[in-house]
Amino acid sequence: RIAAFVPLQHITMATSLHPNLTVMKSRAFDTLFTKIRDVETNSGDFVHYSKRAMRLLAEEAAAHLPTSPQAVTTPTNAIYNGHLSILDTNPDGVCAVSIVRAGDSLLECVREIAPSVRVGKMWIQRNESSADKEAVHSCTELPKGVKYMHVLLVYPMLATCNWWIGFWSVEDTDKKKRCCWGEQCVCK
């Protein structure tokens, strides 16, 4: 499952290319991206508005993780029937994996909403000299047991999403850490 902000004019194209794409529809993105893309926006404001957009994206990606029903008593003694995320009930069952450099700022937002989430890193880039722009992998560090975890792959580039599908579906005996993950949620 992929959670992403996609400009409205590209929703049909994006969802047809990526059938598991969840398009976030928040009015906040229009305002945030107007500020982010404005040539008059200074670097401090750019960082501020970008972090706000990434925080929304991190929250939405986390909302796609498994939940369990939970009844709680409110301060007025009413019962509220809600849900708790696996981030609350079993944080060791979730790992956030950042594609180094591009994904690190988004990883920071994931860590703000889930401070105890386990973290992995991948050093990957596209082969710009190739027409297929396949992935060039140099190093991966993942927590032990990652193949049993729900994974938030944090990477901000929706246009380059196709490489990771093939990359993780291949068994590589030389690199035991490159395994097929059971449940992945890409936060882009």
Side-chain angles (χ1 to χ4, degrees):
R1 165 105 28 225
I2 302 169
F5 168 75
V6 178
L8 293 177
Q9 63 269 29
H10 301 300
I11 287 176
T12 303
M13 179 186 69
T15 54
S16 66
L17 290 174
H18 303 284
N20 290 329
L21 177 69
T22 299
V23 178
M24 288 183 58
K25 295 177 182 170
S26 171
R27 293 179 62 180
F29 280 123
D30 184 48
T31 301
L32 294 171
F33 275 85
T34 299
K35 294 297 283 183
I36 290 167
R37 293 177 174 160
D38 186 350
V39 70
E40 300 294 321
T41 299
N42 64 46
S43 61
D45 286 344
F46 178 86
V47 169
H48 170 74
Y49 292 112
S50 295
K51 282 188 175 187
R52 284 179 57 193
M54 287 186 287
R55 176 68 182 255
L56 289 171
L57 188 55
E59 290 283 0
E60 182 66 17
H64 286 274
L65 292 170
T67 61
S68 56
Q70 178 72 33
V72 297
T73 304
T74 71
T76 61
N77 283 327
I79 300 297
Y80 175 76
N81 293 306
H83 290 84
L84 290 178
S85 168
I86 190 172
L87 289 170
D88 301 310
T89 59
N90 182 17
D92 287 338
V94 180
C95 176
V97 177
S98 170
I99 306 302
V100 169
R101 289 199 0 148
D104 288 344
S105 57
L106 191 49
L107 175 63
E108 186 179 316
C109 292
V110 171
R111 296 292 306 265
E112 287 174 5
I113 64 170
S116 62
V117 72
R118 296 171 74 188
V119 172
K121 298 280 187 166
M122 295 172 62
W123 287 264
I124 295 176
Q125 64 185 43
R126 294 186 310 174
N127 180 353
E128 294 296 337
S129 62
S130 166
D132 293 333
K133 307 284 189 224
E134 70 275 354
V136 178
H137 173 261
S138 57
C139 183
T140 297
E141 292 295 325
L142 300 172
K144 290 181 181 171
V146 70
K147 68 180 180 178
Y148 304 108
M149 297 178 189
H150 295 272
V151 176
L152 289 171
L153 180 60
V154 291
Y155 182 63
M157 307 301 288
L158 182 63
T160 58
C161 178
N162 289 330
W163 65 261
W164 77 272
I165 296 167
F167 186 78
W168 290 109
S169 63
V170 176
E171 179 72 26
D172 185 338
T173 55
D174 294 333
K175 291 184 172 51
K176 296 292 183 194
K177 291 181 181 177
R178 283 175 56 179
C179 60
C180 295
W181 298 343
E183 297 291 331
Q184 302 142 9
C185 180
V186 182
C187 186
K188 301 173 115 308

